[in-house]
Structures are given as C-alpha cells and as structure tokens.
Amino acid sequence: NGKGTLQAKADTRLDTLATEATVELTGLALADLQPWVAQAASLDVRQGQLDVTGKATYAPGGAGDAIGF
C-alpha cells in the first residue's frame, strides 16, 4: 500500500564485519503479505498493521555466523 516505512541505522566494523543495527518498521499492512502467507499456512490475512522496533546483530565466526534480533 506504500504507507509502511523502514528505518535502520547500523555500525559495522570493517575488520570483522560485525554489525549492530537499530531497526524500526512501522505501518506494514499485513494484508499485503497474504500471497506469502498462503504459501506457508492455511490462513487468510484480511487486515492489520505491523510495527516493530528492535536491535539486529551480526557477528561472523569460525564455526558459523551469529545473527540476532
């Protein structure tokens, strides 16, 4: 619907690529996600709005990368 907004601000270490970011998603119309929801579940999304604020992290490692939110 073109009304949702996503804002992010991140700090990344160039030597390791470790990253910490603050993320804010507001006004995402859930009905717009219906085509993807229908592929994964027997669910009909008709209305609703999603707002999310959080901190995302990425830390590369020898045994595997760690990703968090």
Side-chain angles (χ1 to χ4, degrees):
N1 70 5
K3 295 182 182 178
T5 60
L6 174 64
Q7 295 182 351
K9 180 179 179 188
D11 292 313
T12 300
R13 290 182 51 118
L14 294 179
D15 57 344
T16 65
L17 298 181
T19 302
E20 290 187 2
T22 56
V23 179
E24 182 177 355
L25 173 67
T26 57
L28 177 66
L30 295 178
D32 292 345
L33 301 178
Q34 177 57 36
W36 293 279
V37 171
Q39 293 176 14
S42 179
L43 185 66
D44 187 19
V45 179
R46 295 182 184 173
Q47 64 182 3
Q49 177 177 304
L50 178 66
D51 297 326
V52 176
T53 301
K55 179 179 176 181
T57 57
Y58 170 72
D65 298 338
I67 299 172
F69 184 78

